[in-house]
Amino acid sequence: MKKFTFLSLSFFFISTFIFASVEEIPSTEKAVLLDLYNSTQGEKWNTGWDLNEPVSTWRGIEIKENHIVSINLFHNNLNGYLPESIGKLKKLEHLNLAFNSITGVLPKDIVELKCLKVLKLEMNRIKGSLPEGIGSMQNLEEFSMFNNFLNGPIPESFGSILNLKVLNLSSNNLKGAIPRSLGNLKKLQTLGLFENALEGEIPKEMGNLQNLEELVLANNQLGGEIPEELDQLASLKVLQIQNNRIKSFRGIQKMKSKSLLVFDTDEEKYNSIYNDNAIINSRMADTKFEDVDDNE
């Protein structure tokens, strides 16, 4: 009898452990996923979720220590809007909803995702302005929203996200000046602001970005002179500033041409000098349509 009791208890504890490891996430987090499913017509996704199965089996969902840490629904035919409840995923580190048909505006509570490292929403139809509170997302390393319908200014608070390595806001309707605060982003490697309606001068603070490899500012309404401080960008491989209203390009005369792979301005005499050493590349360097679906 004692032996039977011991075996029964062992089976109970083992079963409980297995069940917990497979499914146990907070009900609030599962509710957020259901909100996302319903608000983006989950029944029409390319690869859907079986809502009767454990969350751990749902495509693109990664769970760690009983919390959702990653959502990757890249190129999955999401149509609709992002639910406000998305801000409740306090442990989320990776959100990739790129190459879908998401509309509406960014939920105001998206800035509550304090653990988020990667936010990829490029190639959607999201409109409205970027939240000024974006600067509170201190763990962000990549923020990519090119090819949407964003408007308004680039928030100054981006300059306080010191871990940021990639900032790509190209092909939107952003206006105003490039924030000088972006010069604080010492880890930044890629800055893409191509094809907006940005005005004013290129901030001299851009010269502080020692790790910057790509600076793409083409197709805006930028004016003034090219700041001489750009010659401090020792890591720069791509510089595109054509189709603006820049009056003088003298500030780039000191730049080290041998390190450049792509170089485009409106001043032909500089293009011929730098492109003798650069690899001529016909595409806009920062509008990258390549992405990797980790779940394929």
Side-chain angles (χ1 to χ4, degrees), residues 23-215:
E23 175 65 4
E24 283 299 309
I25 63 171
S27 59
T28 53
E29 294 189 12
K30 184 174 182 178
V32 173
L33 295 184
L34 294 176
D35 286 346
L36 178 63
Y37 181 88
N38 291 324
S39 66
T40 57
Q41 302 182 39
E43 69 281 358
K44 297 181 180 180
W45 291 356
N46 293 336
T47 302
W49 292 340
D50 186 341
L51 303 184
N52 295 315
E53 292 295 319
V55 172
S56 59
T57 68
W58 294 2
R59 189 248 192 182
I61 300 301
E62 181 181 345
I63 297 172
K64 184 177 180 181
E65 296 179 356
N66 303 109
H67 288 283
I68 298 168
V69 295
S70 179
I71 301 175
N72 187 347
L73 296 173
F74 166 80
H75 206 321
N76 199 39
N77 196 38
L78 276 66
N79 286 269
Y81 60 92
L82 295 178
E84 191 65 46
S85 59
I86 196 82
K88 295 180 180 179
L89 298 178
K90 303 299 185 183
K91 301 293 184 179
L92 193 66
E93 298 178 4
H94 189 285
L95 179 61
N96 185 354
L97 304 179
F99 286 72
N100 284 292
S101 297
I102 298 171
T103 59
V105 300
L106 281 178
K108 65 179 185 301
D109 282 351
I110 201 165
V111 299
E112 298 301 321
L113 301 177
K114 309 298 186 185
C115 291
L116 202 64
K117 295 180 180 179
V118 175
L119 176 62
K120 295 176 67 64
L121 293 172
E122 63 264 27
M123 296 298 294
N124 279 287
R125 301 174 184 174
I126 299 171
K127 60 184 180 180
S129 59
L130 292 164
E132 180 59 40
I134 201 80
S136 65
M137 302 172 73
Q138 290 291 300
N139 286 302
L140 270 180
E141 297 178 5
E142 179 173 359
F143 188 97
S144 181
M145 287 194 68
F146 69 79
N147 280 89
N148 278 281
F149 296 101
L150 299 173
N151 55 39
I154 299 172
E156 286 278 350
S157 64
F158 266 117
S160 65
I161 310 176
L162 301 183
N163 288 314
L164 205 58
K165 297 178 181 178
V166 176
L167 177 58
N168 196 332
L169 300 173
S170 293
S171 298
N172 281 286
N173 301 311
L174 297 169
K175 298 182 179 181
I178 299 174
R180 297 185 181 279
S181 62
L182 297 187
N184 299 330
L185 304 178
K186 301 299 178 61
K187 296 182 181 180
L188 198 65
Q189 298 172 2
T190 298
L191 177 59
L193 302 176
F194 160 76
E195 200 172 50
N196 281 286
L198 299 172
E199 302 173 326
E201 297 185 354
I202 299 173
K204 63 180 181 180
E205 287 80 2
M206 293 290 99
N208 297 333
L209 305 178
Q210 295 297 306
N211 289 302
L212 195 66
E213 298 178 2
E214 295 189 17
L215 178 59

Side-chain angles (χ1 to χ4, degrees), residues 4-36:
F4 176 77
T5 302
F6 174 77
L7 291 174
S8 298
L9 287 173
S10 299
F11 178 77
F12 172 78
F13 285 121
I14 292 172
S15 299
T16 301
F17 174 78
I18 293 174
F19 177 79
S21 64
V22 169
E23 175 65 4
E24 283 299 309
I25 63 171
S27 59
T28 53
E29 294 189 12
K30 184 174 182 178
V32 173
L33 295 184
L34 294 176
D35 286 346
L36 178 63

